[in-house]
Amino acid sequence: MDYTTLGRTGLRVSVAGLGCGGFSRLGLSTGGNEASAIGIIHAALDLGVNLLDTAAPYGTEGVVGKALKGVPRDKVVVATKSSVIRGGERWTPERVVASLDNSLRELGIDCIDVFQLHAVPPAGYDYVRDTIAPVLLKQKERGKFRFLGITETAPNDLEHQMLLRAVPDGMWDVAMLAFHMMNQNTREKLFPATLQHRVGTLLMFAVRSIFARADRVAETMRELAAAGKVPRWLADTPDPLGFLIHPGGATSLTDAAYRYVRHEPGVDVVLFGTGDRAHLRSNIESILRPPLPEADRNRLKELFSHLRGVGLIAPSPQPSAAANKGATS
Ligand SMILES: NC(=O)c1ccc[n+]([C@@H]2O[C@H](COP(=O)([O-])OP(=O)(O)OC[C@H]3O[C@@H](n4cnc5c(N)ncnc54)[C@H](OP(=O)(O)O)[C@@H]3O)[C@@H](O)[C@H]2O)c1
């Protein structure tokens, strides 16, 4: 495993972080059970992952807590989140503090390393900064968490407006943001600011659902070509991103997706979510491999850097996930 420093927090973190939400929720949304989810966490820790990202709405804090029993507390960086604006409703500071207290209980720890406000929309930022953050910073003084973070709502904030305001504000030590091969504007828009202010970054959406499924890539290319947003030839092949896979290049689409984001200046931790042990291992291997060849990166830039909002949401609800109330990613 490679380790890096999470911005100005000074925390030493693995460059691969286990996402405990997303479509898999450690496998709980894809047919797994508590024991297999705990097994995924232990396998990740055994491979050197030391950052776990969960959230109250994921419904995985309890599993993370059980997995952490017996693990020395200083060996793992625990990040979790509270909702703050959900379904248009603004949560009161008391409700957010209650969520923090519940996270501590579920996780079975005395102090959370990174406590994040989840999916904050641009229009809600003033409320979060002026009404919620001051109350939370008092909870931080009481030792309930070490660093405050904030996460963007990528599909609803394509120009990163919320984080562009939050990053210079000084109270957010960590930002969770979206970036991937077909969602590239984070590079010019946001990373210069996070680097300047030394805000630690947790990267979501490297693969999401789009790069885990070749059929979804092909379908997306057909839609984009029909809208005149990508060249026609990308719609006329069943494997439009096949040019990335070659000797000396990526070994698979997910390998390309993880290597693409990992080496971007400004990316500290690449989050990946899985309920599958083989995926866990191969994802970590990909995150540890060298960058994609420069020619491939240039081609991705040329073809896709103008796109916005591609591949950020699931095509349709996954039945097992939709049935589970903890399925919010
Ligand atoms: N703050 C927010 O609003 C927010 C939103 C979304 C996500 N997140 C965070 O980011 C983490 C990552 O979530 P994400 O939405 O980016 O997506 P993700 O959970 O990483 O999704 C990856 C998808 O691809 C599959 N997959 C993973 N590795 C694969 C491989 N090697 N080959 C084929 N399929 C593979 C996974 O299913 P398998 O189980 O089959 O591997 C899963 O369905 C989350 O767990 C969460 O911590 C935060």
Side-chain angles (χ1 to χ4, degrees):
M1 181 55 65
D2 292 338
Y3 296 87
T4 190
T5 302
L6 185 61
R8 63 186 184 227
T9 69
L11 294 170
R12 287 300 285 173
V13 288
S14 51
V15 295
L18 182 63
C20 305
F23 301 117
S24 290
R25 295 174 53 248
L26 300 167
L28 294 176
S29 291
T30 52
N33 57 29
E34 189 172 284
S36 60
I38 290 172
I40 289 281
I41 295 171
H42 285 164
L45 296 176
D46 288 346
L47 290 167
V49 169
N50 79 344
L51 184 137
L52 307 178
D53 176 66
T54 181
Y58 299 168
T60 55
E61 289 178 316
V63 168
V64 171
K66 285 182 185 166
L68 290 182
K69 285 208 176 11
V71 176
R73 185 64 191 87
D74 62 348
K75 296 287 180 225
V76 59
V77 172
V78 180
T80 192
K81 316 181 189 76
S82 169
S83 299
V84 62
I85 297 173
R86 207 163 169 191
E89 185 193 356
R90 293 182 169 191
W91 285 23
T92 61
E94 292 74 24
R95 191 168 173 194
V96 177
V97 172
S99 180
L100 164 64
D101 289 339
N102 194 57
S103 291
L104 286 163
R105 266 193 303 278
E106 288 281 316
L107 290 161
I109 57 181
D110 299 328
C111 177
I112 289 160
D113 296 298
V114 183
F115 186 66
Q116 307 160 99
L117 296 181
H118 199 172
V120 176
Y125 180 67
D126 287 334
Y127 174 71
V128 165
R129 181 195 57 201
D130 300 339
T131 305
I132 302 293
V135 175
L136 281 179
L137 290 171
K138 291 207 175 76
Q139 301 294 312
K140 178 180 169 181
E141 282 168 22
R142 293 178 59 187
K144 292 188 188 175
F145 65 92
R146 297 173 70 188
F147 300 103
L148 191 56
I150 190 162
T151 87
E152 67 179 353
T153 166
N156 306 310
D157 186 3
L158 302 183
E159 299 296 334
H160 310 281
Q161 290 178 45
M162 187 282 291
L163 282 179
L164 282 172
R165 295 185 61 206
V167 164
D169 272 348
M171 74 261 282
W172 316 104
D173 296 313
V174 177
M176 184 177 294
L177 39 81
F179 176 58
H180 69 53
M181 294 192 290
M182 296 178 70
N183 185 62
Q184 300 180 17
N185 70 343
T186 326
R187 177 184 297 121
E188 269 99 29
K189 287 215 87 153
L190 202 49
F191 290 135
T194 56
L195 284 167
Q196 182 191 344
H197 295 277
R198 298 178 53 243
V199 168
T201 59
L202 304 180
L203 190 99
M204 59 182 169
F205 291 16
V207 164
R208 195 61 173 160
S209 69
I210 182 166
F211 302 120
R213 287 179 37 191
D215 60 328
R216 176 113 198 268
V217 175
E219 185 190 326
T220 302
M221 293 298 179
R222 286 195 293 275
E223 288 167 10
L224 290 170
K229 293 183 177 173
V230 297
R232 187 74 235 169
W233 68 265
L234 285 165
D236 293 338
T237 162
D239 189 16
L241 295 179
F243 66 84
L244 295 169
I245 299 162
H246 58 90
T251 57
S252 67
L253 203 47
T254 51
D255 182 61
Y258 285 120
R259 289 166 65 184
Y260 179 78
V261 298
R262 153 76 206 276
H263 299 280
E264 184 67 35
V267 172
D268 292 332
V269 176
V270 177
L271 295 173
F272 67 94
T274 189
D276 179 306
R277 296 265 192 133
H279 290 170
L280 173 84
R281 186 171 283 279
S282 68
N283 293 347
I284 291 173
E285 283 169 3
S286 295
I287 291 169
L288 296 180
R289 285 197 187 112
L292 296 179
E294 192 180 352
D296 292 344
R297 284 184 278 133
N298 288 342
R299 200 143 184 229
L300 288 168
K301 187 170 188 178
E302 184 193 313
L303 289 170
F304 305 132
S305 61
H306 59 289
L307 298 175
R308 298 288 180 272
V310 173
L312 300 180
I313 51 170
S316 56
Q318 296 177 352
S320 55
N324 191 312
K325 73 179 180 60
T328 307
S329 62

